[in-house]
Amino acid sequence: MTVSLALALAAALQVAPTETVPPVHPMTLRSGGPIAADRAALRLAHADLAIEALPARRMLSARATLTLAANAAVPRIPIDLDDVLTVRSIRVDGRPLDRARWRQAGGQVVIDTPLVAGQRTTIEISYAGSPRVAKRAPWDDGFVWSEWKGKPWFGTTAQDTGCDLWWPCLDFPAGEPAAVDLHLTVPAGLSAPANGVLRGIDRLPDGRTTWHWHAGSTNPYALAISVGPYREIKGEYRSRFGNVIPLHFWHLEGKDEQAKQLFAEFAPTLDFFESTIGPYPFGDEKVGVVETPYLGMEHQTINAYGNGYKPAPEGFDWLFQHEFSHEWFGNQMTAADWDDFWLHEAFASYMQPLYGKWREGDARYLSMLLIQRQRVANRAPIVSGSSRTTREVNGETGPGTDVYFKGAWMLHSLRHLIGDRAFFAATRRLVYGRPDPKPGNFTPRFATTREFETAVAEETGKDFGWFFDVYLRQAALPDLIEQRSETALMLRWQVPGDGPFPLPVEVEVDGVRHTLPMTGGSGAIAVPQDAHVVIDPMAWLLRRSPAIERMQAPRVATP
């Protein structure tokens, strides 16, 4: 965007902030889930967003130019956008569209322009307003307005509610734009790091700057604005795959020493992921992190960091490591439907104890996993089998945090069951869509739960549907029933639905370890009456724990 265009936008689109914020429409709250045919037929080939942030008034002035393609004939073009952002004008393929041919209501802008299958069109939407404010980001969404040393400091987060909180988009996973250009105009003295590669910075006569960013295929909710009085640390990482990856960290003024310590974690964390999973997916763009006034979020190539540089017993920053893992699990490999959301969060959560193991060994691995185990709730199946919205997954009736911790423990049990070679090979297929990823031979992709199950079956030569059905499609955990006689120990799996569950069990008898194959879901081993027995001594099995259930139960106040 040129300097003159930035000035024209600011002059034309500034409006007075509204006194009262209208209630958020259910359509705006909705991200993903079942999609109407006219929305499902659309794909976003390119998004060009020219946005001026006006922090003194907590407003945006913007123009979005969307290049859309239709997979099937559609009678109209519905674009998702929060009603608090007022559309001023629309142009279609460069021509102004008469006001009677478009309407804004119910969390959408509906444009009465039909498309035939295979047709492409360019929609230019000029809009402005005060975006919704997040009260408790990132657990709710919107803008977070703050200050640092008297200067504006703010950012966006939109995972649950979706991209339509601040830009006109297709708010479902397949609505991911194939390419994005961001032109962010900000007040003097502020920086605006964003997704992708910086193409240049224009300096306007009054001291404002416009930052021009270009990114490839980007998750709609992972597109982000972050603005503040930043200082930048940068470097390079020479990948084990032969390419050189730029490293960038934008941190607040006055936090130089803490920032240097966190920046020192970038290269070893990157090496862990590349050696364990495969090539960094966005090596032609950057590894980017920006300090934000909220905890964090996996914004593609510009991960939000707000953990306050807290020291941790693991020796690394969990927040940085978790959000960075989403570059593989969430940004490179994106769940095709939010019902598959565990593919993002379970793998990202499991990567933390695996990183602890990579750094320090099994003791650290198990100690981190056992902390996660206490947070498994088992309130709803992780996978429902139906298309779901983000709020249905994260809400009261959905699996909630089980997509993180129960999913991570399921992966822990699966790795032991099938072995490291098959586990990581199947994971690689899930992430890259191929067994041999190298820089340049893969692109971002969508994936499903069934696809991971198929990859496991192909790598092992066995069907583990019984395993995934119990852990992913049932709420309750399998219960290992123990019975002991004077001469033997009998074990039996009891699972929801009473289906097959031949998950092997390790038993330690007087210090000697044995494995019971549990064919048919049960097994037995000779045990002397006075022998000391430990079942599952290395904690490989995700199973019911009465001790954890008692710990999780609501406490009754004593009189």
Side-chain angles (χ1 to χ4, degrees):
M1 185 174 65
T2 65
V3 173
S4 59
L5 179 55
L7 290 170
L9 264 177
L13 299 180
Q14 288 184 23
V15 295
T18 50
E19 295 296 325
T20 58
V21 178
V24 61
H25 192 276
M27 188 65 191
T28 299
L29 288 174
R30 181 184 182 86
S31 184
I35 304 166
D38 54 358
R39 293 174 75 219
L42 296 175
R43 290 296 180 269
L44 186 50
H46 183 238
D48 187 290
L49 307 177
I51 296 173
E52 174 159 18
L54 307 167
R57 304 170 67 190
R58 295 192 170 187
M59 294 183 61
L60 300 180
S61 294
R63 183 202 63 197
T65 304
L66 310 177
T67 302
L68 296 159
N71 292 336
V74 295
R76 65 193 66 83
I77 300 172
I79 303 295
D80 300 312
L81 183 66
D82 191 353
D83 293 335
V84 299
L85 300 170
T86 303
V87 174
R88 297 303 184 190
S89 64
I90 293 179
R91 299 172 71 89
V92 176
D93 293 328
R95 297 183 180 89
L97 188 66
D98 187 270
R99 182 63 182 83
R101 294 186 58 195
W102 63 269
R103 58 196 176 277
Q104 181 182 16
Q108 287 192 319
V109 180
V110 179
I111 302 166
D112 291 328
T113 297
L115 299 176
V116 299
Q119 184 178 352
R120 290 166 71 99
T121 189
T122 299
I123 307 294
E124 181 184 300
I125 302 174
S126 297
Y127 64 100
S130 297
R132 294 187 191 273
V133 174
K135 297 184 176 73
R136 188 173 170 260
W139 294 276
D140 71 339
D141 297 318
F143 266 69
V144 180
W145 302 97
S146 187
E147 289 186 350
W148 180 255
K149 296 185 176 181
K151 298 178 182 178
W153 176 37
F154 55 94
T156 61
T157 178
Q159 185 182 72
D160 259 8
T161 309
C163 50
D164 50 346
L165 283 178
W166 64 273
W167 66 282
C169 63
L170 303 177
D171 190 13
F172 50 91
E176 181 170 306
V180 181
D181 283 283
L182 278 168
H183 316 279
L184 302 176
T185 300
V186 298
L190 302 182
S191 300
N195 311 79
V197 176
L198 183 62
R199 291 278 179 86
I201 303 173
D202 291 340
R203 303 194 181 278
L204 307 185
D206 61 359
R208 290 175 300 148
T209 54
T210 300
W211 297 60
H212 302 279
W213 294 92
H214 175 79
S217 185
T218 306
N219 269 345
Y221 80 84
L223 204 62
I225 293 175
S226 298
V227 177
Y230 292 125
R231 297 290 179 264
E232 182 184 2
I233 303 175
K234 55 186 176 181
E236 291 182 340
Y237 167 80
R238 189 165 296 279
S239 166
R240 59 178 60 221
F241 291 93
N243 56 323
V244 177
I245 301 170
L247 309 177
H248 297 264
F249 181 28
W250 285 269
H251 64 89
L252 290 172
E253 297 173 344
K255 294 193 176 183
D256 301 67
E257 290 307 313
Q258 303 101 305
K260 286 178 184 177
Q261 292 179 22
L262 183 62
F263 187 73
E265 294 187 29
F266 283 28
T269 309
L270 185 48
D271 190 46
F272 159 73
F273 278 104
E274 289 208 318
S275 64
T276 305
I277 306 301
Y280 176 62
F282 308 103
D284 58 344
E285 295 184 7
K286 68 178 183 300
V287 171
V289 178
V290 60
E291 194 168 356
T292 53
Y294 59 88
L295 184 60
M297 185 53 64
E298 61 266 22
H299 297 144
Q300 189 170 309
T301 71
I302 190 66
N303 286 316
Y305 174 82
N307 199 35
Y309 308 99
K310 296 173 184 174
E314 299 85 8
F316 62 91
D317 193 297
W318 73 268
L319 189 283
F320 161 70
Q321 202 268 359
H322 178 84
E323 304 303 357
F324 187 51
S325 67
H326 282 304
E327 299 287 21
W328 286 261
F329 305 101
N331 296 337
Q332 161 59 28
M333 179 277 299
T334 303
D337 188 276
W338 285 105
D339 195 39
D340 301 307
F341 188 38
W342 76 273
L343 295 173
H344 295 197
E345 299 297 354
F347 276 99
S349 298
Y350 188 47
M351 289 300 111
Q352 298 205 297
L354 279 179
Y355 187 43
K357 175 182 171 64
W358 190 75
R359 287 167 51 91
E360 298 182 56
D362 288 336
R364 180 62 68 191
Y365 172 78
L366 278 174
S367 69
M368 295 176 71
L369 270 168
L370 291 172
I371 292 171
Q372 291 187 354
R373 177 62 183 88
Q374 298 176 35
R375 301 182 67 179
V376 176
N378 308 307
R379 69 184 189 187
I382 290 176
V383 175
S384 73
S386 301
S387 181
R388 291 198 286 191
T389 68
T390 51
R391 290 177 182 274
E392 287 170 334
V393 174
N394 295 324
E396 290 299 318
T397 60
T401 56
D402 274 358
V403 298
Y404 295 76
F405 307 116
K406 185 176 181 179
W409 258 81
M410 183 273 291
L411 293 173
H412 164 67
S413 296
L414 178 66
R415 185 171 72 87
H416 178 64
L417 176 63
I418 67 176
D420 279 8
R421 189 213 63 78
F423 177 84
F424 289 111
T427 301
R428 219 162 278 122
R429 286 178 180 269
L430 174 76
V431 172
Y432 301 101
R434 58 187 303 156
D436 59 342
K438 296 178 178 61
N441 75 354
F442 61 88
T443 57
R445 63 188 305 271
F446 296 102
T448 66
T449 298
R450 292 293 187 188
E451 187 176 356
F452 181 60
E453 293 182 53
T454 299
V456 169
E458 289 175 349
E459 292 296 337
T460 60
K462 298 178 182 178
D463 181 3
F464 287 97
W466 56 269
F467 179 93
F468 293 109
D469 284 346
V470 167
Y471 283 126
L472 294 179
R473 299 180 181 90
Q474 300 287 341
L477 287 175
D479 195 2
L480 189 58
I481 309 300
E482 307 171 26
Q483 191 174 10
R484 189 164 173 179
S485 69
E486 293 184 358
T487 58
L489 169 70
M490 286 75 73
L491 298 176
R492 175 176 59 86
W493 282 113
Q494 182 175 299
V495 298
D498 296 323
F501 197 71
L503 182 62
V505 179
E506 289 184 351
V507 178
E508 191 173 275
V509 180
D510 286 335
V512 179
R513 199 166 297 171
H514 310 268
T515 300
L516 276 64
M518 302 297 285
T519 305
S522 62
I525 185 173
V527 174
Q529 188 174 14
D530 60 349
H532 177 66
V533 175
V534 179
I535 297 172
D536 188 27
M538 295 305 295
W540 283 112
L541 305 178
L542 176 57
R543 58 182 173 128
R544 178 175 175 245
S545 167
I548 291 178
E549 289 175 3
R550 288 192 294 271
M551 182 201 74
Q552 293 175 337
R555 294 186 180 181
V556 178
T558 55

